[in-house]
Amino acid sequence: SAKQHGRNQFAFFQPQMTEEIRERLEIQQGIREAIKHDYLFLDYQPIYCMRSGRILGAEALLRWRHPQHGLLSPARFIPIIEESDLIEEVTRWVAQRAVTDLQSLLELNPAFSLSINISGAALHQSSICDFICDLKQQQNLPDDSLCIEITETSMITHLESSENALRRWKSAGIEIWIDDFGTGYSSLAYLNSLSIDGLKIDRSFVHNLIDGHSRPLIDAMVALAESLSIHTVAEGIETEQQLALLRKMGVHLAQGFGLARPMPLLDLQQKIRLEIEETA
Ligand code: C2E
Ligand code: MG
Ligand code: MG
Ligand code: MG
């Protein structure tokens, strides 16, 4: 608050702005330390097959255990890091860690697929694209075991560089998913021209499915995906009712707190092992 920083006279006049600038600086300076000292880590949220109810894959979600501020959410620090070159370093860190962890998950399930989030700002840098393609090759990852999630908005904002990156990932055997689908104001033309593998229906639609008005919208997204022969994931499933209805509506994959929260690698491995034992 402004009071806490009251020593600074400027803060008295523009507390909001000063607080924002201070936070931005702290995050941009802190992230280097975080990478160096291993304050960053990934949680994994399982993604389930609607039909079989089994885990098909997971999404890697970045966390920052800050020595002073505790656990920081990516929703808070990623947008700030995106404003600087640091996003490149962070994206490399995420990709490296995720690919290492993916190796162990593939040992449990050779068809496992792992998604990483790539921010629009990172799409600009062709070196990021190369880095991830190289990782996939060096590690001998099977095709389609690694997926990239990109939001509609960032793809449109960085259309030219995203087209190039997507094409190269595609030919390297890396899947491309559209994240938070339905929330960007974009034309649908890009779905056809870029080779997209699937749509992640944003959790706001899932949230408004039962009591709100989003059912016809989800129906339209499922129909669109079907006509393009691509897959759909529903994000943010919290209740049995949502799960049952989305399955009935033809959504292929399911993700949400109601099924499983993001968890450490060890817990995910354990979950997969239990599944294998149960069906053995
Ligand atoms: P996202 O890619 O759409 O990830 C899904 C977010 O929804 C995650 O939040 C997840 O914890 C949350 N979620 C999953 N199921 C439920 C549910 O049932 N209910 C609710 N209310 N939320 C649910 P998280 O981990 O806080 O991540 C927020 C965003 O930060 C992500 O949204 C993604 O855009 C970004 N992000 C996370 N990790 C990375 C990363 O490694 N790189 C980049 N560039 N962005 C990342
Ligand atoms: Mg995502
Ligand atoms: Mg999403
Ligand atoms: Mg989202």
Side-chain angles (χ1 to χ4, degrees):
S1 75
K3 270 223 178 90
Q4 279 172 303
H5 304 281
R7 266 177 304 167
N8 185 339
Q9 288 292 309
F10 189 67
F12 182 79
F13 294 103
Q14 290 178 302
Q16 190 64 42
M17 190 183 168
T18 308
E19 178 71 10
E20 268 176 41
I21 291 170
R22 191 194 54 77
E23 187 188 15
R24 187 170 305 160
L25 275 175
E26 199 181 344
I27 284 176
Q28 289 181 348
Q29 284 161 0
I31 196 77
R32 283 183 210 277
E33 292 289 297
I35 293 174
K36 208 165 81 191
H37 298 294
D38 261 344
Y39 296 147
L40 297 181
F41 65 98
L42 295 178
D43 269 346
Y44 293 101
Q45 188 176 29
I47 298 174
Y48 292 81
C49 172
M50 282 279 196
R51 282 233 182 99
S52 68
R54 299 194 57 160
I55 297 172
L56 294 187
E59 176 175 6
L61 295 161
L62 183 60
R63 277 92 182 83
W64 178 357
R65 197 178 286 114
H66 195 285
Q68 279 92 47
H69 304 297
L71 197 60
L72 299 186
S73 151
R76 184 167 156 209
F77 65 83
I78 289 281
I80 294 170
I81 285 164
E82 272 190 311
E83 294 170 7
S84 75
D85 290 342
L86 293 165
I87 190 65
E88 177 162 0
E89 234 171 297
V90 171
T91 307
R92 280 172 195 258
W93 185 91
V94 169
Q96 189 101 55
R97 162 91 303 139
V99 161
T100 305
D101 293 350
L102 175 56
Q103 292 287 17
S104 75
L105 293 162
L106 285 166
E107 279 170 29
L108 293 171
N109 172 6
F112 196 88
S113 72
L114 189 63
S115 299
I116 58 175
N117 292 283
I118 302 290
S119 74
L123 278 176
H124 261 333
Q125 279 131 356
S126 61
S127 58
I128 288 283
C129 180
D130 292 337
F131 182 79
I132 294 174
C133 291
D134 289 349
L135 265 181
K136 194 237 166 201
Q137 240 188 347
Q138 286 159 13
Q139 304 287 318
N140 254 317
L141 294 174
D143 280 357
D144 301 334
S145 61
L146 186 63
C147 309
I148 303 283
E149 293 187 10
I150 296 165
T151 64
E152 247 180 316
T153 315
S154 68
M155 204 153 67
I156 297 310
T157 317
H158 308 274
L159 192 58
E160 212 164 299
S161 40
S162 61
E163 271 182 358
N164 289 329
L166 267 48
R167 209 171 290 121
R168 265 190 296 161
W169 276 322
K170 207 59 212 142
S171 60
I174 295 168
E175 281 207 1
I176 315 286
W177 285 73
I178 307 300
D179 208 349
D180 305 343
F181 187 71
T183 59
Y185 301 90
S186 64
S187 106
L188 295 176
Y190 72 91
L191 288 177
N192 234 349
S193 58
L194 307 170
S195 21
I196 302 301
D197 295 287
L199 307 177
K200 299 195 77 170
I201 299 167
D202 189 68
R203 69 166 186 263
S204 57
F205 299 101
V206 173
H207 186 77
N208 294 314
L209 175 61
I210 309 292
D211 304 322
H213 309 283
S214 64
R215 185 170 176 171
L217 299 175
I218 297 181
D219 274 329
M221 293 184 227
V222 170
L224 176 67
E226 237 144 55
S227 69
L228 293 168
S229 304
I230 61 178
H231 296 287
T232 44
V233 181
E235 294 189 302
I237 298 175
E238 294 182 352
T239 69
E240 297 257 9
Q241 216 183 350
Q242 290 167 342
L243 179 68
L245 185 51
L246 289 162
R247 185 195 286 127
K248 207 175 93 185
M249 290 167 74
V251 175
H252 304 116
L253 304 167
Q255 184 180 358
F257 290 172
L259 294 151
R261 293 206 166 236
M263 60 185 76
L265 176 70
L266 284 174
D267 292 1
L268 177 61
Q269 290 169 328
Q270 187 57 21
K271 227 180 194 345
I272 296 170
R273 275 194 208 99
L274 282 173
E275 256 191 14
I276 294 169
E277 278 168 28
E278 272 166 20
T279 51

XYZ file of all heavy atoms in Angstrom, residues 134-224:
716
model
N 15.136 -28.242 -30.998
C 16.394 -28.943 -30.712
C 16.252 -29.865 -29.508
O 16.738 -31.004 -29.530
C 17.532 -27.942 -30.450
C 17.954 -27.214 -31.719
O 17.507 -27.634 -32.807
O 18.708 -26.223 -31.620
N 15.590 -29.346 -28.468
C 15.372 -30.158 -27.264
C 14.644 -31.447 -27.621
O 15.010 -32.536 -27.173
C 14.491 -29.389 -26.271
C 15.134 -28.584 -25.163
C 14.061 -27.950 -24.301
C 16.037 -29.471 -24.320
N 13.606 -31.288 -28.407
C 12.785 -32.443 -28.778
C 13.632 -33.484 -29.511
O 13.488 -34.686 -29.291
C 11.622 -31.977 -29.646
C 10.530 -33.024 -29.795
C 10.269 -33.349 -31.242
C 9.442 -34.606 -31.382
N 9.593 -35.214 -32.701
N 14.510 -32.991 -30.371
C 15.345 -33.906 -31.143
C 16.428 -34.562 -30.293
O 16.584 -35.779 -30.311
C 15.978 -33.161 -32.312
C 15.564 -33.757 -33.619
C 16.335 -33.164 -34.771
O 17.011 -32.135 -34.635
N 16.226 -33.796 -35.915
N 17.137 -33.714 -29.530
C 18.221 -34.230 -28.685
C 17.724 -35.306 -27.729
O 18.407 -36.291 -27.463
C 18.834 -33.102 -27.848
C 19.714 -32.150 -28.631
C 19.855 -30.808 -27.913
O 19.486 -30.694 -26.738
N 20.358 -29.806 -28.608
N 16.521 -35.067 -27.188
C 15.968 -35.984 -26.195
C 15.242 -37.151 -26.845
O 14.664 -37.989 -26.137
C 15.005 -35.243 -25.268
C 15.602 -34.036 -24.576
C 16.561 -34.433 -23.485
O 16.290 -35.353 -22.721
N 17.698 -33.759 -23.404
N 15.198 -37.140 -28.171
C 14.529 -38.230 -28.873
C 13.072 -38.420 -28.460
O 12.608 -39.554 -28.316
C 15.271 -39.537 -28.622
C 16.043 -39.940 -29.856
O 15.514 -39.830 -30.973
N 17.274 -40.373 -29.664
N 12.381 -37.323 -28.246
C 10.981 -37.423 -27.839
C 10.127 -37.888 -29.014
O 10.333 -37.425 -30.136
C 10.472 -36.058 -27.359
C 11.085 -35.489 -26.092
C 10.568 -34.067 -25.853
C 10.757 -36.381 -24.899
N 9.187 -38.779 -28.754
C 8.308 -39.197 -29.847
C 7.458 -38.033 -30.355
O 7.182 -37.088 -29.601
C 7.420 -40.278 -29.213
C 7.622 -40.211 -27.758
C 8.912 -39.497 -27.494
N 7.040 -38.115 -31.609
C 6.184 -37.070 -32.161
C 4.909 -36.944 -31.339
O 4.379 -37.936 -30.840
C 5.832 -37.395 -33.620
C 6.975 -37.012 -34.555
O 7.978 -36.453 -34.065
O 6.853 -37.287 -35.759
N 4.446 -35.724 -31.227
C 3.194 -35.396 -30.528
C 3.234 -35.656 -29.026
O 2.200 -35.651 -28.371
C 1.999 -36.132 -31.152
C 1.844 -35.780 -32.625
O 2.279 -34.686 -33.012
O 1.293 -36.609 -33.375
N 4.408 -35.909 -28.459
C 4.476 -36.050 -27.000
C 4.642 -34.673 -26.347
O 4.339 -34.502 -25.178
C 5.632 -36.957 -26.593
O 6.868 -36.425 -27.026
N 5.089 -33.702 -27.125
C 5.255 -32.346 -26.600
C 4.266 -31.421 -27.312
O 4.161 -31.438 -28.537
C 6.697 -31.875 -26.839
C 7.097 -30.538 -26.220
C 7.026 -30.591 -24.693
C 8.508 -30.150 -26.659
N 3.506 -30.646 -26.520
C 2.511 -29.719 -27.076
C 2.807 -28.299 -26.639
O 3.266 -28.066 -25.518
C 1.098 -30.062 -26.605
S 0.626 -31.763 -26.826
N 2.514 -27.371 -27.537
C 2.673 -25.956 -27.243
C 1.280 -25.337 -27.123
O 0.439 -25.558 -27.993
C 3.413 -25.254 -28.414
C 4.771 -25.895 -28.684
C 3.487 -23.762 -28.190
C 5.843 -25.532 -27.720
N 1.036 -24.592 -26.034
C -0.234 -23.867 -25.895
C 0.008 -22.390 -26.136
O 0.873 -21.786 -25.504
C -0.830 -24.059 -24.493
C -1.278 -25.477 -24.224
C -2.018 -25.618 -22.892
O -2.353 -24.586 -22.271
O -2.246 -26.775 -22.486
N -0.772 -21.842 -27.058
C -0.646 -20.421 -27.395
C -2.033 -19.799 -27.369
O -2.985 -20.401 -27.865
C -0.030 -20.259 -28.802
C 1.392 -20.803 -28.812
C -0.031 -18.811 -29.239
C 1.935 -21.025 -30.177
N -2.170 -18.612 -26.775
C -3.494 -17.998 -26.760
C -3.794 -17.385 -28.124
O -2.886 -16.985 -28.853
C -3.632 -16.902 -25.687
O -2.736 -15.838 -26.003
C -3.315 -17.441 -24.302
N -5.093 -17.352 -28.415
C -5.589 -16.729 -29.638
C -5.034 -15.323 -29.795
O -4.540 -14.941 -30.847
C -7.103 -16.560 -29.455
C -7.982 -17.359 -30.306
C -9.418 -17.024 -29.959
O -9.763 -16.935 -28.756
O -10.180 -16.847 -30.887
N -5.134 -14.569 -28.707
C -4.758 -13.158 -28.752
C -3.292 -12.987 -29.114
O -2.942 -12.174 -29.969
C -5.029 -12.498 -27.377
O -6.311 -12.926 -26.942
C -4.980 -11.007 -27.479
N -2.422 -13.800 -28.483
C -0.997 -13.620 -28.745
C -0.649 -14.051 -30.165
O 0.252 -13.506 -30.787
C -0.163 -14.376 -27.719
O -0.315 -15.762 -27.874
N -1.414 -15.024 -30.669
C -1.136 -15.477 -32.024
C -1.490 -14.402 -33.037
O -0.799 -14.231 -34.044
C -1.951 -16.733 -32.306
C -1.354 -17.566 -33.371
S -1.800 -19.240 -33.139
C -3.502 -19.109 -33.449
N -2.571 -13.697 -32.777
C -3.005 -12.652 -33.698
C -2.081 -11.438 -33.600
O -1.692 -10.847 -34.596
C -4.477 -12.252 -33.412
C -5.386 -13.466 -33.649
C -4.905 -11.079 -34.264
C -5.198 -14.184 -34.969
N -1.698 -11.112 -32.363
C -0.823 -9.959 -32.152
C 0.521 -10.156 -32.844
O 1.132 -9.220 -33.329
C -0.583 -9.738 -30.636
O -1.827 -9.898 -29.966
C -0.028 -8.360 -30.357
N 0.995 -11.392 -32.829
C 2.314 -11.676 -33.402
C 2.158 -12.601 -34.609
O 2.852 -13.604 -34.719
C 3.219 -12.332 -32.361
C 3.294 -11.576 -31.075
N 4.175 -10.543 -30.874
C 2.595 -11.688 -29.930
C 4.006 -10.050 -29.662
N 3.055 -10.732 -29.063
N 1.217 -12.253 -35.478
C 0.809 -13.186 -36.528
C 1.968 -13.689 -37.374
O 2.105 -14.892 -37.588
C -0.280 -12.574 -37.416
C -0.956 -13.575 -38.353
C -1.578 -14.712 -37.537
C -2.034 -12.909 -39.189
N 2.821 -12.767 -37.806
C 3.859 -13.187 -38.735
C 4.862 -14.136 -38.087
O 5.132 -15.209 -38.613
C 4.580 -11.977 -39.314
C 5.057 -12.226 -40.725
C 5.408 -10.919 -41.411
O 4.522 -10.059 -41.553
O 6.591 -10.759 -41.763
N 5.356 -13.731 -36.907
C 6.334 -14.603 -36.248
C 5.674 -15.883 -35.761
O 6.299 -16.943 -35.751
C 7.014 -13.875 -35.091
O 6.112 -13.096 -34.367
N 4.386 -15.802 -35.389
C 3.754 -17.024 -34.910
C 3.556 -18.017 -36.049
O 3.712 -19.216 -35.865
C 2.442 -16.736 -34.178
O 1.516 -16.124 -35.019
N 3.248 -17.511 -37.228
C 3.099 -18.418 -38.371
C 4.371 -19.211 -38.603
O 4.336 -20.424 -38.803
C 2.742 -17.641 -39.644
C 1.250 -17.466 -39.820
C 0.892 -16.730 -41.099
O 1.818 -16.327 -41.842
O -0.308 -16.554 -41.338
N 5.496 -18.502 -38.564
C 6.779 -19.176 -38.773
C 7.070 -20.189 -37.682
O 7.449 -21.335 -37.965
C 7.914 -18.151 -38.823
C 7.859 -17.340 -40.096
O 7.424 -17.845 -41.137
N 8.260 -16.084 -40.021
N 6.885 -19.755 -36.433
C 7.180 -20.642 -35.310
C 6.288 -21.874 -35.361
O 6.760 -23.004 -35.208
C 6.992 -19.896 -33.997
N 5.003 -21.658 -35.597
C 4.061 -22.777 -35.606
C 4.392 -23.777 -36.711
O 4.313 -24.986 -36.510
C 2.623 -22.261 -35.759
C 1.863 -22.016 -34.457
C 2.648 -21.219 -33.435
C 0.524 -21.344 -34.719
N 4.771 -23.247 -37.843
C 5.098 -24.137 -38.953
C 6.312 -25.005 -38.605
O 6.353 -26.192 -38.885
C 5.374 -23.304 -40.217
C 5.040 -24.051 -41.493
C 5.111 -23.152 -42.726
N 4.044 -22.172 -42.778
C 4.238 -20.846 -42.819
N 5.460 -20.349 -42.787
N 3.221 -20.019 -42.888
N 7.309 -24.372 -37.951
C 8.522 -25.135 -37.622
C 8.272 -26.164 -36.526
O 8.773 -27.281 -36.566
C 9.657 -24.187 -37.241
C 10.535 -23.907 -38.472
C 11.778 -23.176 -38.095
N 11.394 -21.872 -37.562
C 12.178 -21.119 -36.805
N 13.372 -21.569 -36.470
N 11.776 -19.947 -36.382
N 7.480 -25.765 -35.518
C 7.140 -26.720 -34.458
C 6.402 -27.908 -35.051
O 6.677 -29.051 -34.736
C 6.283 -26.040 -33.381
C 7.092 -25.315 -32.369
C 8.291 -25.726 -31.846
C 6.797 -24.069 -31.738
N 8.739 -24.796 -30.924
C 7.844 -23.781 -30.835
C 5.738 -23.157 -31.843
C 7.871 -22.632 -30.041
C 5.756 -22.025 -31.057
C 6.824 -21.759 -30.161
N 5.455 -27.570 -35.920
C 4.629 -28.590 -36.566
C 5.504 -29.611 -37.300
O 5.325 -30.813 -37.144
C 3.706 -27.861 -37.553
C 2.412 -28.517 -37.865
C 1.583 -28.728 -36.645
C 0.803 -29.996 -36.896
N 0.629 -30.843 -35.802
N 6.446 -29.112 -38.086
C 7.249 -30.040 -38.882
C 8.266 -30.772 -38.008
O 8.808 -31.800 -38.416
C 7.928 -29.319 -40.050
O 8.767 -28.315 -39.564
N 8.495 -30.274 -36.796
C 9.370 -30.988 -35.859
C 8.588 -32.034 -35.058
O 9.147 -32.704 -34.193
C 10.051 -30.004 -34.919
N 7.291 -32.149 -35.305
C 6.496 -33.142 -34.587
C 6.010 -32.668 -33.225
O 5.786 -33.464 -32.308
N 5.838 -31.355 -33.096
C 5.330 -30.779 -31.849
C 3.895 -30.301 -32.099
O 3.621 -29.665 -33.118
C 6.241 -29.611 -31.395
C 7.633 -30.164 -31.041
C 5.622 -28.847 -30.236
C 8.696 -29.094 -30.850
N 2.995 -30.647 -31.169
C 1.585 -30.270 -31.350
C 1.339 -28.811 -30.963
O 2.008 -28.279 -30.083
C 0.667 -31.168 -30.522
C 0.422 -32.517 -31.137
C -0.924 -33.122 -30.724
O -1.683 -32.472 -29.962
O -1.213 -34.238 -31.168
N 0.347 -28.209 -31.594
C -0.020 -26.817 -31.301
C -1.481 -26.761 -30.850
O -2.377 -27.228 -31.560
C 0.101 -25.917 -32.556
C 1.387 -26.172 -33.333
C -0.088 -24.453 -32.181
C 2.625 -25.638 -32.714
N -1.695 -26.218 -29.663
C -3.058 -26.039 -29.145
C -3.345 -24.563 -28.931
O -2.453 -23.806 -28.531
C -3.203 -26.782 -27.811
C -3.309 -28.263 -27.980
C -2.315 -29.122 -28.325
C -4.499 -29.051 -27.832
N -2.809 -30.409 -28.392
C -4.144 -30.393 -28.091
C -5.831 -28.742 -27.486
C -5.063 -31.431 -28.030
C -6.747 -29.782 -27.417
C -6.363 -31.104 -27.695
N -4.588 -24.171 -29.176
C -5.003 -22.796 -28.883
C -5.570 -22.748 -27.467
O -6.537 -23.446 -27.146
C -6.079 -22.297 -29.871
C -5.626 -22.474 -31.315
C -6.395 -20.827 -29.583
C -4.370 -21.741 -31.667
N -4.949 -21.925 -26.630
C -5.330 -21.795 -25.220
C -6.414 -20.729 -25.069
O -6.494 -19.810 -25.881
C -4.086 -21.374 -24.414
C -4.144 -21.834 -22.979
O -5.207 -22.299 -22.530
O -3.105 -21.721 -22.293
N -7.220 -20.874 -24.025
C -8.260 -19.882 -23.704
C -9.122 -19.581 -24.923
O -9.509 -18.423 -25.152
C -7.637 -18.567 -23.184
C -6.715 -18.797 -21.995
O -6.793 -19.871 -21.372
O -5.914 -17.895 -21.686
N -9.414 -20.601 -25.689
C -10.145 -20.375 -26.942
C -11.520 -19.755 -26.671
O -12.224 -20.163 -25.756
C -10.315 -21.681 -27.732
C -10.917 -21.461 -29.096
C -10.174 -20.852 -30.090
C -12.236 -21.829 -29.365
C -10.734 -20.618 -31.348
C -12.792 -21.600 -30.615
C -12.036 -20.994 -31.605
N -11.867 -18.774 -27.501
C -13.159 -18.111 -27.385
C -13.087 -16.773 -26.682
O -14.071 -16.034 -26.661
N -11.926 -16.456 -26.101
C -11.812 -15.196 -25.364
C -11.127 -14.101 -26.176
O -11.164 -12.938 -25.806
C -11.028 -15.361 -24.048
O -9.721 -15.852 -24.358
C -11.719 -16.356 -23.125
N -10.493 -14.443 -27.275
C -9.815 -13.432 -28.096
C -10.752 -12.954 -29.190
O -11.632 -13.688 -29.633
N -10.593 -11.718 -29.570
C -11.423 -11.206 -30.656
C -10.671 -11.413 -31.953
O -9.987 -10.535 -32.421
C -11.716 -9.719 -30.466
C -12.425 -9.412 -29.186
C -11.708 -9.134 -28.028
C -13.812 -9.411 -29.131
C -12.365 -8.852 -26.849
C -14.467 -9.132 -27.952
C -13.738 -8.853 -26.812
O -14.385 -8.589 -25.656
N -10.794 -12.601 -32.514
C -9.975 -12.846 -33.694
C -10.812 -13.465 -34.802
O -11.892 -13.979 -34.569
C -8.837 -13.781 -33.331
O -9.370 -15.020 -32.955
N -10.284 -13.398 -35.984
C -10.926 -14.085 -37.092
C -10.604 -15.567 -36.963
O -9.625 -15.959 -36.338
C -10.407 -13.549 -38.418
O -9.531 -14.475 -39.018
N -11.439 -16.397 -37.540
C -11.201 -17.834 -37.440
C -10.323 -18.349 -38.566
O -9.961 -19.516 -38.598
C -12.539 -18.589 -37.448
C -13.445 -18.310 -36.242
C -14.773 -19.031 -36.401
C -12.776 -18.728 -34.943
N -9.954 -17.444 -39.464
C -9.207 -17.860 -40.646
C -7.895 -18.556 -40.273
O -7.493 -19.514 -40.920
C -8.929 -16.657 -41.536
N -7.265 -18.081 -39.194
C -5.956 -18.617 -38.842
C -6.005 -20.099 -38.480
O -5.043 -20.818 -38.628
C -5.330 -17.818 -37.704
C -5.994 -18.041 -36.366
C -5.533 -19.045 -35.516
C -7.071 -17.275 -35.966
C -6.149 -19.261 -34.301
C -7.691 -17.490 -34.759
C -7.223 -18.482 -33.928
O -7.835 -18.716 -32.733
N -7.185 -20.553 -38.022
C -7.299 -21.960 -37.642
C -7.049 -22.861 -38.836
O -6.529 -23.968 -38.709
C -8.702 -22.254 -37.090
C -9.012 -21.697 -35.713
C -10.451 -22.002 -35.342
C -8.068 -22.294 -34.681
N -7.454 -22.372 -39.974
C -7.295 -23.143 -41.197
C -5.901 -23.020 -41.776
O -5.297 -23.999 -42.198
C -8.309 -22.649 -42.231
C -9.142 -23.794 -42.767
O -8.804 -24.949 -42.513
N -10.181 -23.482 -43.488
N -5.375 -21.803 -41.784
C -4.093 -21.574 -42.448
C -2.925 -22.093 -41.606
O -1.913 -22.516 -42.141
C -3.911 -20.092 -42.769
O -4.001 -19.341 -41.587
N -3.066 -22.048 -40.276
C -2.012 -22.598 -39.416
C -2.461 -23.997 -39.025
O -3.638 -24.240 -38.841
C -1.867 -21.726 -38.167
C -1.666 -20.242 -38.415
C -1.791 -19.464 -37.123
C -0.311 -19.990 -39.045
N -1.530 -24.896 -38.912
C -1.962 -26.258 -38.595
C -2.113 -26.444 -37.098
O -1.160 -26.742 -36.395
C -0.982 -27.274 -39.172
O 0.255 -26.644 -39.415
N -3.322 -26.229 -36.636
C -3.651 -26.313 -35.220
C -4.138 -27.725 -34.905
O -4.865 -28.324 -35.681
C -4.771 -25.298 -34.894
C -4.358 -23.876 -35.253
C -5.210 -25.410 -33.439
C -3.120 -23.387 -34.548
N -3.715 -28.262 -33.747
C -4.113 -29.619 -33.382
C -5.341 -29.659 -32.478
O -6.014 -30.674 -32.402
C -2.948 -30.337 -32.691
C -1.787 -30.539 -33.640
O -1.896 -31.397 -34.529
O -0.791 -29.792 -33.530
N -5.580 -28.568 -31.754
C -6.731 -28.600 -30.857
C -7.055 -27.265 -30.237
O -6.254 -26.328 -30.279
N -8.250 -27.190 -29.656
C -8.732 -25.988 -28.995
C -8.951 -26.273 -27.524
O -9.557 -27.287 -27.171
C -10.079 -25.550 -29.597
C -10.149 -25.376 -31.111
C -11.578 -25.005 -31.527
C -9.166 -24.308 -31.569
N -8.462 -25.382 -26.676
C -8.762 -25.476 -25.256
C -9.861 -24.460 -24.948
O -9.603 -23.246 -24.971
C -7.519 -25.193 -24.410
C -6.387 -26.182 -24.677
C -5.321 -26.122 -23.607
C -5.766 -26.825 -22.335
N -4.632 -26.975 -21.376
N -11.048 -24.968 -24.710
C -12.201 -24.104 -24.453
C -11.996 -23.406 -23.111
O -11.809 -24.062 -22.083
C -13.496 -24.940 -24.439
C -13.695 -25.613 -25.812
C -14.700 -24.082 -24.046
C -14.759 -26.698 -25.816
N -11.995 -22.092 -23.123
C -11.655 -21.318 -21.931
C -12.587 -21.635 -20.770
O -13.771 -21.897 -20.947
C -11.707 -19.824 -22.235
C -11.154 -19.008 -21.070
O -9.933 -19.111 -20.827
O -11.935 -18.317 -20.384
N -12.021 -21.568 -19.567
C -12.793 -21.995 -18.403
C -13.972 -21.079 -18.096
O -14.897 -21.480 -17.402
C -11.893 -22.171 -17.182
C -11.312 -20.934 -16.584
C -10.756 -21.287 -15.193
N -10.297 -20.102 -14.509
C -9.039 -19.706 -14.487
N -8.114 -20.427 -15.081
N -8.713 -18.614 -13.853
N -13.989 -19.866 -18.630
C -15.142 -18.979 -18.414
C -16.403 -19.581 -19.044
O -17.493 -19.438 -18.493
C -14.859 -17.593 -18.996
O -14.545 -17.673 -20.366
N -16.261 -20.278 -20.167
C -17.423 -20.912 -20.804
C -17.909 -22.097 -19.980
O -19.102 -22.318 -19.836
C -17.073 -21.360 -22.228
C -16.665 -20.235 -23.124
C -15.322 -19.993 -23.392
C -17.609 -19.383 -23.684
C -14.928 -18.938 -24.197
C -17.236 -18.329 -24.496
C -15.886 -18.106 -24.756
N -16.948 -22.848 -19.463
C -17.294 -24.006 -18.628
C -17.995 -23.531 -17.356
O -18.986 -24.119 -16.918
C -16.032 -24.829 -18.286
C -16.339 -25.932 -17.293
C -15.410 -25.393 -19.568
N -17.498 -22.432 -16.810
C -18.072 -21.861 -15.588
C -19.542 -21.476 -15.780
O -20.370 -21.629 -14.885
C -17.255 -20.640 -15.164
C -17.659 -20.062 -13.850
N -17.302 -20.650 -12.654
C -18.414 -18.979 -13.543
C -17.815 -19.944 -11.668
N -18.493 -18.917 -12.170
N -19.873 -20.967 -16.969
C -21.239 -20.503 -17.249
C -22.095 -21.538 -17.974
O -23.145 -21.209 -18.511
C -21.188 -19.220 -18.085
C -20.583 -18.074 -17.306
O -20.937 -17.855 -16.149
N -19.648 -17.360 -17.911
N -21.630 -22.768 -17.957
C -22.332 -23.798 -18.745
C -23.693 -24.139 -18.154
O -24.697 -24.190 -18.863
C -21.451 -25.058 -18.830
C -22.056 -26.276 -19.514
C -22.400 -25.962 -20.962
C -21.095 -27.456 -19.454
N -23.749 -24.388 -16.862
C -24.983 -24.881 -16.250
C -25.977 -23.750 -15.990
O -27.140 -23.839 -16.361
C -24.670 -25.635 -14.931
C -23.580 -26.702 -15.145
C -25.938 -26.250 -14.347
C -23.975 -27.895 -16.007
N -25.513 -22.680 -15.360
C -26.430 -21.602 -14.969
C -26.418 -20.426 -15.940
O -27.278 -19.564 -15.889
C -26.073 -21.073 -13.566
C -26.084 -22.198 -12.535
O -26.961 -23.064 -12.651
O -25.212 -22.194 -11.648
N -25.446 -20.387 -16.799
C -25.313 -19.225 -17.680
C -25.788 -19.522 -19.089
O -26.652 -20.363 -19.320
N -25.189 -18.834 -20.030
C -25.676 -18.919 -21.401
C -24.605 -19.417 -22.357
O -24.651 -19.127 -23.534
C -26.171 -17.547 -21.862
C -27.126 -16.922 -20.913
N -28.443 -17.316 -20.826
C -26.966 -15.958 -19.970
C -29.055 -16.615 -19.879
N -28.165 -15.785 -19.339
N -23.640 -20.145 -21.851
C -22.511 -20.478 -22.723
C -22.680 -21.794 -23.479
O -21.862 -22.125 -24.316
C -21.212 -20.511 -21.909
O -21.275 -21.532 -20.948
N -23.765 -22.524 -23.210
C -23.912 -23.829 -23.856
C -23.892 -23.748 -25.388
O -23.174 -24.509 -26.037
C -25.164 -24.543 -23.367
C -25.244 -25.931 -23.933
C -26.307 -26.787 -23.317
N -26.334 -28.079 -24.019
C -27.030 -29.106 -23.633
N -27.767 -29.052 -22.561
N -26.989 -30.232 -24.335
N -24.674 -22.829 -25.995
C -24.613 -22.756 -27.465
C -23.224 -22.372 -27.973
O -22.833 -22.784 -29.072
C -25.649 -21.682 -27.826
C -26.092 -21.065 -26.567
C -25.701 -21.946 -25.432
N -22.479 -21.627 -27.186
C -21.133 -21.236 -27.619
C -20.197 -22.448 -27.616
O -19.409 -22.643 -28.540
C -20.578 -20.133 -26.707
C -21.402 -18.840 -26.690
C -20.839 -17.855 -25.669
C -21.437 -18.215 -28.080
N -20.289 -23.262 -26.558
C -19.453 -24.465 -26.515
C -19.865 -25.423 -27.634
O -19.012 -26.019 -28.290
C -19.528 -25.142 -25.128
C -18.961 -24.199 -24.052
C -18.762 -26.476 -25.127
C -18.970 -24.769 -22.644
N -21.187 -25.542 -27.869
C -21.653 -26.366 -28.990
C -21.007 -25.912 -30.302
O -20.572 -26.738 -31.106
C -23.184 -26.273 -29.124
C -23.899 -27.285 -28.234
O -23.327 -28.372 -28.004
O -25.010 -26.982 -27.765
N -20.937 -24.608 -30.488
C -20.369 -24.067 -31.721
C -18.875 -24.358 -31.825
O -18.359 -24.683 -32.891
C -20.622 -22.558 -31.794
N -18.180 -24.279 -30.683
C -16.733 -24.570 -30.693
C -16.472 -26.040 -31.005
O -15.544 -26.372 -31.742
C -16.109 -24.197 -29.344
C -16.111 -22.692 -29.078
S -15.258 -22.307 -27.508
C -16.431 -21.185 -26.771
N -17.306 -26.909 -30.442
C -17.148 -28.342 -30.697
C -17.417 -28.645 -32.172
O -16.669 -29.391 -32.819
C -18.083 -29.178 -29.779
C -18.103 -30.638 -30.200
C -17.664 -29.035 -28.319
N -18.456 -28.008 -32.718
C -18.786 -28.215 -34.136
C -17.660 -27.707 -35.031
O -17.281 -28.361 -36.008
C -20.095 -27.504 -34.477
N -17.110 -26.564 -34.658
C -15.995 -25.988 -35.419
C -14.798 -26.946 -35.410
O -14.216 -27.249 -36.450
C -15.606 -24.637 -34.814
C -14.399 -23.923 -35.409
C -14.684 -23.490 -36.841
C -14.007 -22.717 -34.559
